[in-house]
Amino acid sequence: MRGFKLLDKKQNKSLGFEAERYLLDDYGSEHIHLKNDSKELVFMVMFRTIPENSTGVAHILEHTTLCGSEKFKVRDPFFMMLRRSMSTFMNAFTSSDWTAYPFATQNKKDFYNLLDVYLDAAYFPILEEEDFKQEGHRLEFSKLDKSSSDLEYKGVVFNEMKGSMSNISSVTWQALTKNLFPDLTYRHNSGGEPKEIIELTHDYLKNFHSKFYHPSNATYFTWGDIDAKEIQKFITDKLKNKFENISQDKIEIVEPQKSFVKSVNAEEAFNPVSKEQSSHQNYCAWVLGESSNIDELLESHLVALLLLGNSATPLYKALESNDIGKSPAQILGLEDSMRHLMFICGIEGSEENSQSKFNVLIDKTFADIVKNGFKDEQIDAALYQLELNRREISAGSLPYGLQILLSLAPGSLYKSDPLILSNVDEALKRLKENAKKKNYLQNIVKRNFVDNQHRVNLEMVPDLELINKKESELRKILDNLKASMSSKEKLDLVNESKILADRQNAKPNKDVLPKLELSDVPKNLNYPKSKKLVTFGYSPTFYEQPTNGLTYQSITRDVNIEGLDQVGDLMILSSLLGRIDTKNKDYLKLQEAISKISGGINASSHFYLDKNEEIKGKLSLSSKSLPENSLEVTKLMFEILNETKFDNDKRIKELVFQNFMGLQQTIVENGHRFAMLAASSSHNKLSLMQELSSGLSSLYKFAPFVSNNEEMLKAELEKQVKFFDANKNCANELMFVSNVLLTKDEVKDIRSLDFKMEGDSKVELPFKQEFHKIAMPINTQVNFSALSMDAPIYDPKESAKYLLLSSLLRNEYLHKRVREQGGAYGGGAVYDPFSGTFKMFSYRDPRFIDTIQDFEDSLEWALKGDFSDEILLEAKLSVLSDIDKPSSPAGEAFKDYRLNLEGKSQKDRSAYRNNILEIKTDEIVEAAKNLKDRKKSVFSIINPNFEKTAQENGFQIRKI
């Protein structure tokens, strides 16, 4: 077998890597390697996967490939490797027309362990029918061995997509792509529509794998300080003599969609979470250029910033301030994840039959832009935002290297040159020159939005009965199926279910899988170091970090809280700062000033327990900018903190309504998080404050702003002013992160600013500890449950036991019971040492009461102490992997700063980490016994059909 040959390489000095493009002659597959000095090594193999229907075949295949392979004949190698490695990221993605298998690790031995498992899973999966039933869909009686009980559909992906398609954002996305791409695979739901998932067969899944999971249809992506040739040898050895080459002209790719000659009008029903959300929504969306064309991509990003960058930009201004809807929609802006670029704008809170009015509003807005153009300062600000985004080394939910690799994928997927997409600097230079030309940007707007008929005008219509209709349809199908079954068929189904359950309960042979040892784990972590910039007098906290020429900064202010209501006041205040008027600027001028010198100014708040276990509150403003603008950003942040005005009632109502709608929509997407917050809220003051500020209880605070009661609104605004004024004179701390030091003059200017430097936060509120069982019915097809107990507050020795216990419960018990057997998309246990709570949860769960019983039973299992040294090792590796996972350079500094502020020193954190290595089995059993004897709270977000069951099991019912 021949090896890879180098086709091209390009240097990217601004982001610090050399991009190399190789071709594997035997199969025509490419390897894109971004060579740099990063110690986090990233790998991804990507296949074009082009569904012909909405059965979710690509999605279910992504799950099933990870359930055992020829070399690793073990039922669940993916989840086992999560705890046998020090991976910083492991996952698999199904997109509209591709599937990818990425991982990242800081350990080279681990890299090749994972590479072996991933390649074997992708190319040589076993694809057992039992795994297809577990991950995809299956029929089962609700009481597994009783054919007299109801027949049910189960399956991880089936329930995942029932949850996903309860979310208006997912439904809207599918409606847009279905209408914009009638000839392409994008018209289908690649994740799967539940009513179509149940039509997918095991044979169809295997054939789909044979067609698309082939080396000739693959691209390999790698990142980091590792030799490309070494990786290529591993890949060629793995694939040697295993496949026949497929000519590249026979590889299926997504072709361009034929342009429309006339725009399309459409409507789609959606499921509101509550009555308050049951207004209409209106959208316009266009198909633009191609994601693999760097010039079209950057042009589109620039225009998107000019249109929607902030409240002062023309399109966003029109979406925020009109008499048709109440706020901009949650889905907005440029979408670049498919072959074609797509631009979306929309509003929420409209009346029935508002689409034509919305179309007129959008058309007029674009006509005005074509006529009047953009101001020079708007163009400069948008280009500045592009520059900041290009330079930023971010982390978020994906490793930075993986983010860069994914940005190159369109070049490979659509037979273009991925290295061109890596060379943003030259394209950005061309764009800056073009942007200066007369009418250049106006002509793009005219071409893309005024003259472009490849457009859909979509009205989203609320239907509070939609969930019941879908459930009734499924129930009818199931009842008819059961009625048509003979006694033998029922007995066969019971036996098949038992076979699957036995397989799930069987002890796996983990010895076939590679693993790390504790000797492979670094002895110590390197923490970022802060420094003083002057010898005498006040100095802001400064971290010198490799930020690629950006400066990050924050102002953190102590907050005083008197009573529960002020927790909500702080939440509302955080959502308004930087977005409403100040003494010298209306909100439009303020937004323009922010975008001119920074990447945005964000407000947040948080509460914590100090070393004396007293609650403290902080309000923070944070931003990023080029170093030369850092002082001006500081001044602007103090203007916001000290001079914000609350007299623009209309603006404030608009913003709070946006947050209200956004919070309701996230309930279905992050129901497990809301359930955990609510379950633990009556355990201690800190958990209560977290629930009031970011949980379901925060919804009450929105009432005066989203109702039409002017007296309530006036009273609430008066309270906001009073709260804001009372906290203006609290102490402030400034923090900067950059690879460019502040100059002496800049430090001098900062010291000359008038702000209080000494003080402390005081938080006083009533609290009574309670333990409850509460269920909240909402319009969703799945459930989210949580159980919470008191646990020790952060302690380097004691906390380590509970952290390891949470890992063991999640990986060794709850994963099997809640996910594999119960059919939920996810489930686990979480120990939060900062609030002193231990929680268990389920996510997109078809069950309710049985899951809560699984939570209780998990502690009984742990009390037996029946886990081997190997299982304990895996728990330690899993926990240490989470602790050691790197953030961005700025993110590491901010994390260190916050923990130091809270009294968790680097010395304490090192002791905490080291103690994890020393914990023995009997200490974990002791922690389980401690929890078993504690009182417990339960909170479940449930499908309304479970309300009667909840009442029969002693749950209080709480409405949203």
Side-chain angles (χ1 to χ4, degrees):
M1 183 173 179
R2 292 168 292 175
F4 287 78
K5 68 178 181 182
L6 182 65
L7 297 179
D8 191 14
K9 61 181 177 181
K10 283 185 168 61
Q11 196 74 32
N12 189 314
K13 292 182 180 178
S14 63
L15 294 182
F17 64 76
E18 182 177 69
E20 300 170 343
R21 182 186 183 193
Y22 296 88
L23 178 71
L24 179 57
D25 275 335
D26 293 71
Y27 298 121
S29 49
E30 292 190 351
H31 175 205
I32 310 302
H33 180 57
L34 303 187
K35 183 180 179 181
N36 57 76
D37 60 3
S38 172
K39 298 305 176 189
E40 186 173 34
L41 310 176
V42 182
F43 170 84
M44 174 172 65
V45 59
M46 179 178 284
F47 302 96
R48 300 173 192 86
T49 48
I50 305 175
E52 299 173 334
N53 51 49
S54 295
T55 60
V57 58
H59 187 188
I60 294 170
L61 179 60
E62 171 226 304
H63 280 241
T64 315
T65 55
L66 300 171
C67 291
S69 61
E70 286 183 11
K71 182 175 180 180
F72 304 109
K73 291 183 173 68
V74 61
R75 186 173 49 81
D76 202 357
F78 176 78
F79 282 98
M80 288 180 188
M81 287 305 295
L82 279 171
R83 49 193 190 261
R84 294 171 72 86
S85 80
M86 285 288 288
S87 65
T88 55
F89 184 84
M90 279 179 66
N91 212 330
F93 307 142
T94 302
S95 190
S96 301
D97 59 353
W98 53 264
T99 304
Y101 296 85
F103 67 80
T105 179
Q106 298 181 96
N107 182 296
K108 192 172 180 181
K109 174 183 173 183
D110 202 24
F111 180 88
Y112 284 105
N113 285 350
L114 291 168
L115 182 60
D116 200 10
V117 172
Y118 264 63
L119 290 177
D120 213 65
Y123 288 117
F124 314 114
I126 299 172
L127 300 181
E128 292 276 10
E129 187 166 9
E130 285 82 6
D131 295 322
F132 168 72
K133 291 177 179 178
Q134 174 185 287
E135 298 299 317
H137 69 90
R138 65 184 183 274
L139 282 170
E140 234 176 52
F141 292 108
S142 58
K143 297 188 186 315
L144 189 133
D145 57 350
K146 288 186 168 48
S147 60
S148 59
S149 62
D150 285 342
L151 196 61
E152 294 180 340
Y153 282 115
K154 288 187 178 180
V156 172
V157 171
F158 176 75
N159 285 305
E160 177 190 353
M161 296 312 296
K162 281 180 76 176
S164 176
M165 299 314 291
S166 296
N167 185 334
I168 181 177
S169 296
S170 299
V171 176
T172 303
W173 172 259
Q174 288 304 137
L176 290 169
T177 55
K178 176 176 66 179
N179 285 285
L180 283 172
F181 305 106
D183 304 324
L184 304 186
T185 187
Y186 306 137
R187 70 187 185 274
H188 303 303
N189 184 345
S190 63
E193 290 286 347
K195 67 180 181 181
E196 293 188 47
I197 286 174
I198 58 179
E199 301 296 328
L200 180 65
T201 67
H202 182 227
D203 284 341
Y204 189 92
L205 178 112
K206 291 192 292 183
N207 291 334
F208 193 87
H209 178 270
S210 297
K211 180 177 181 180
F212 290 109
Y213 281 53
H214 189 283
S216 297
N217 188 41
T219 304
Y220 309 98
F221 298 87
T222 51
W223 161 279
D225 186 11
I226 189 168
D227 183 25
K229 295 291 184 185
E230 193 177 324
I231 299 168
Q232 291 162 7
K233 183 179 185 307
F234 193 99
I235 293 171
T236 52
D237 287 348
K238 188 80 178 176
L239 302 181
K240 192 173 184 179
N241 300 325
K242 297 290 178 66
F243 295 90
E244 294 292 327
N245 179 43
I246 298 176
S247 172
Q248 287 299 302
D249 59 9
K250 293 182 179 178
I251 295 294
E252 184 177 350
I253 66 169
V254 174
E255 299 295 339
Q257 168 66 49
K258 184 179 178 182
S259 295
F260 291 1
V261 295
K262 185 179 179 181
S263 61
V264 171
N265 298 314
E267 68 173 44
E268 188 82 23
F270 75 91
N271 166 60
V273 173
S274 67
K275 288 182 180 179
E276 291 79 12
Q277 203 192 31
S278 58
S279 52
H280 289 240
Q281 300 188 9
N282 306 97
Y283 292 86
C284 292
W286 296 259
V287 172
L288 308 181
E290 298 221 2
S291 59
S292 58
N293 184 312
I294 186 65
D295 293 309
E296 289 182 350
L297 181 64
L298 280 182
E299 275 182 359
S300 299
H301 275 292
L302 177 62
V303 171
L305 284 168
L306 285 164
L307 294 174
L308 292 171
N310 57 65
S311 295
T313 52
L315 183 55
Y316 201 85
K317 185 178 178 181
L319 298 176
E320 276 194 326
S321 304
N322 60 74
D323 58 3
I324 306 168
K326 293 183 178 179
S327 71
Q330 301 296 311
I331 301 180
L332 284 179
L334 185 71
E335 174 59 47
D336 59 5
S337 65
M338 300 177 290
R339 173 163 193 151
H340 290 285
L341 300 170
M342 188 167 87
F343 186 88
I344 308 164
C345 64
I347 55 170
E348 299 177 347
S350 61
E351 298 292 330
E352 187 178 3
N353 298 321
S354 296
Q355 187 65 42
S356 59
K357 294 179 186 177
F358 180 66
N359 296 348
V360 170
L361 171 70
I362 296 305
D363 292 342
K364 183 181 182 304
T365 301
F366 282 123
D368 289 345
I369 294 169
V370 171
K371 180 181 177 181
N372 302 314
F374 300 102
K375 293 183 288 188
D376 288 345
E377 52 266 34
Q378 289 177 315
I379 298 170
D380 290 341
L383 287 167
Y384 183 71
Q385 301 302 314
L386 270 184
E387 176 76 9
L388 292 178
N389 293 337
R390 182 187 65 82
R391 285 197 188 189
E392 183 170 26
I393 301 172
S394 59
S397 59
L398 299 177
Y400 175 63
L402 180 56
Q403 294 177 48
I404 300 294
L405 294 174
L406 284 167
S407 73
L408 308 186
S412 296
L413 290 167
Y414 311 119
K415 300 292 186 178
S416 182
D417 182 356
L419 294 204
I420 290 176
L421 293 173
S422 75
N423 200 6
V424 176
D425 290 347
E426 289 182 14
L428 191 55
K429 183 180 177 182
R430 288 194 298 272
L431 180 59
K432 287 178 178 179
E433 291 171 355
N434 287 332
K436 297 174 186 175
K437 296 175 183 176
K438 186 178 180 180
N439 296 332
Y440 178 78
L441 293 169
Q442 287 149 280
N443 288 338
I444 293 176
V445 172
K446 186 174 187 296
R447 181 181 75 235
N448 285 348
F449 304 109
V450 177
D451 298 337
N452 185 4
Q453 292 301 304
H454 202 146
R455 163 177 170 171
V456 61
N457 306 309
L458 173 69
E459 182 167 15
M460 296 299 294
V461 180
D463 184 352
L464 285 164
E465 292 301 312
L466 187 61
I467 289 295
N468 287 334
K469 291 173 186 174
K470 290 182 176 181
E471 289 293 306
S472 295
E473 282 179 26
L474 277 176
R475 186 72 264 153
K476 188 176 179 180
I477 291 170
L478 288 163
D479 288 345
N480 288 339
L481 274 171
K482 185 178 178 183
S484 69
M485 294 172 73
S486 66
S487 298
K488 181 180 182 304
E489 287 171 328
K490 290 177 182 178
L491 181 60
D492 288 345
L493 182 59
V494 168
N495 290 333
E496 287 172 14
S497 300
K498 286 180 178 178
I499 290 170
L500 177 59
D502 289 343
R503 189 169 189 272
Q504 290 165 333
N505 286 320
K507 191 172 182 179
N509 177 20
K510 297 180 183 180
D511 293 340
V512 301
L513 288 167
K515 68 176 180 180
L516 295 184
E517 303 291 344
L518 288 182
S519 58
D520 296 309
V521 176
K523 293 285 188 289
N524 300 296
L525 274 185
N526 293 319
Y527 297 104
K529 292 180 173 60
S530 62
K531 60 171 68 176
K532 289 194 71 173
L533 298 176
V534 292
T535 307
F536 302 104
Y538 175 79
S539 170
T541 302
F542 188 90
Y543 287 84
E544 190 171 1
Q545 290 280 91
T547 58
N548 199 29
L550 296 187
T551 294
Y552 298 79
Q553 63 188 97
S554 69
I555 301 174
T556 300
R557 173 169 288 180
D558 288 335
V559 176
N560 296 324
I561 298 286
E562 296 178 3
L564 297 176
D565 198 45
Q566 286 195 350
V567 180
D569 291 338
L570 180 59
M571 175 196 69
I572 297 292
L573 177 63
S574 299
S575 71
L576 296 177
L577 289 177
R579 305 176 72 194
I580 58 176
D581 303 348
T582 63
K583 182 179 177 182
N584 297 315
K585 297 180 181 73
D586 65 29
Y587 75 91
L588 295 174
K589 294 292 184 187
L590 180 62
Q591 292 276 291
E592 288 176 345
I594 290 171
S595 63
K596 186 178 179 180
I597 61 173
S598 77
I601 293 177
N602 302 304
S604 62
S605 62
H606 84 283
F607 301 98
Y608 64 92
L609 293 168
D610 68 7
K611 280 197 167 184
N612 299 317
E613 296 192 11
E614 291 185 9
I615 296 179
K616 302 295 179 184
K618 301 287 184 182
L619 172 65
S620 298
L621 292 187
S622 59
S623 187
K624 63 175 181 257
S625 67
L626 295 178
E628 58 266 28
N629 292 328
S630 57
L631 182 60
E632 291 305 310
V633 174
T634 301
K635 291 177 180 178
L636 193 55
M637 288 201 290
F638 270 121
E639 179 180 341
I640 292 167
L641 276 172
N642 297 328
E643 299 178 4
T644 290
K645 293 166 61 181
F646 298 85
D647 52 5
N648 189 339
D649 298 7
K650 182 176 182 294
R651 171 65 175 168
I652 291 172
K653 284 186 71 173
E654 287 171 355
L655 291 174
V656 176
F657 186 82
Q658 289 177 34
N659 291 332
F660 173 69
M661 294 295 283
L663 179 63
Q664 287 205 80
Q665 288 192 25
T666 59
I667 294 172
V668 175
E669 194 62 33
N670 297 295
H672 62 307
R673 174 185 166 274
F674 287 106
M676 285 191 284
L677 282 170
S680 61
S681 63
S682 60
H683 289 209
N684 55 58
K685 285 185 180 182
L686 181 58
S687 295
L688 175 60
M689 297 183 82
Q690 291 170 341
E691 161 66 10
L692 289 170
S693 59
S694 57
L696 293 167
S697 299
S698 66
L699 288 168
Y700 86 95
K701 195 65 181 178
F702 292 100
F705 299 93
V706 300
S707 68
N708 293 317
N709 190 320
E710 293 302 319
E711 287 187 13
M712 283 177 64
L713 176 63
K714 182 180 178 182
E716 196 63 35
L717 288 176
E718 288 174 355
K719 284 165 54 182
Q720 278 291 326
V721 172
K722 185 178 178 182
F723 178 73
F724 178 74
D725 289 342
N727 283 283
K728 272 203 291 193
N729 294 318
C730 292
N732 305 273
E733 177 61 52
L734 276 65
M735 194 269 265
F736 294 84
V737 187
S738 186
N739 60 329
V740 180
L741 293 176
L742 293 174
T743 66
K744 288 183 179 180
D745 287 342
E746 286 173 330
V747 175
K748 182 180 177 182
D749 286 340
I750 289 170
R751 292 170 67 174
S752 70
L753 297 174
D754 183 19
F755 65 94
K756 189 175 180 182
M757 303 174 192
E758 302 292 335
D760 197 8
S761 164
K762 293 182 181 178
V763 176
E764 297 176 0
L765 71 163
F767 175 75
K768 179 184 177 183
Q769 189 178 53
E770 296 176 339
F771 297 89
H772 51 237
K773 287 172 66 176
I774 295 173
M776 177 180 281
I778 67 168
N779 285 329
T780 176
Q781 291 182 274
V782 288
N783 308 304
F784 306 86
S785 293
L787 179 147
S788 178
M789 298 156 280
D790 284 339
I793 296 292
Y794 185 89
D795 175 86
K797 177 63 176 175
E798 196 68 15
S799 293
K801 306 173 190 175
Y802 291 84
L803 195 60
L804 284 169
L805 175 62
S806 69
S807 177
L808 285 165
L809 293 179
R810 178 175 64 250
N811 293 325
E812 299 298 330
Y813 190 89
L814 294 172
H815 174 76
K816 177 171 66 179
R817 295 296 294 270
V818 175
R819 186 183 190 275
E820 293 182 347
Q821 297 177 343
Y825 183 49
V830 177
Y831 167 54
D832 180 2
F834 303 118
S835 67
T837 53
F838 193 100
K839 291 163 277 199
M840 302 180 201
F841 69 91
S842 71
Y843 179 62
R844 292 181 179 171
D845 190 351
R847 304 185 306 158
F848 168 33
I849 299 299
D850 289 344
T851 293
I852 293 162
Q853 187 59 54
D854 286 340
F855 294 159
E856 297 272 8
D857 292 346
S858 70
L859 291 173
E860 291 286 357
W861 169 83
L863 281 172
K864 298 174 185 175
D866 187 21
F867 23 88
S868 63
D869 290 344
E870 184 177 36
I871 289 175
L872 187 56
L873 167 65
E874 290 176 355
K876 290 178 179 181
L877 288 173
S878 177
V879 165
L880 290 168
S881 174
D882 285 338
I883 290 174
D884 293 2
K885 185 178 297 183
S887 181
S888 65
E892 288 293 326
F894 274 103
K895 181 170 71 174
D896 185 73
Y897 172 73
R898 180 177 63 82
L899 290 171
N900 287 334
L901 198 72
E902 296 177 8
K904 284 89 175 172
S905 67
Q906 292 181 357
K907 183 179 178 182
D908 286 342
R909 281 176 267 154
S910 293
Y912 183 36
R913 183 179 181 275
N914 291 337
N915 283 330
I916 290 166
L917 299 168
E918 305 302 325
I919 294 295
K920 303 290 190 291
T921 297
D922 59 342
E923 295 175 277
I924 297 173
V925 172
E926 178 191 338
K929 185 177 186 306
N930 190 353
L931 291 177
K932 181 68 179 172
D933 296 337
R934 299 283 179 107
K935 292 182 178 179
K936 301 169 181 66
S937 289
V938 177
F939 192 99
S940 292
I941 297 170
I942 58 172
N943 179 312
N945 293 328
F946 283 101
E947 186 171 340
K948 184 179 178 182
T949 302
Q951 290 172 325
E952 291 170 351
N953 283 271
F955 280 77
Q956 302 172 43
I957 302 299
R958 181 185 294 175
K959 301 296 183 179
I960 193 166

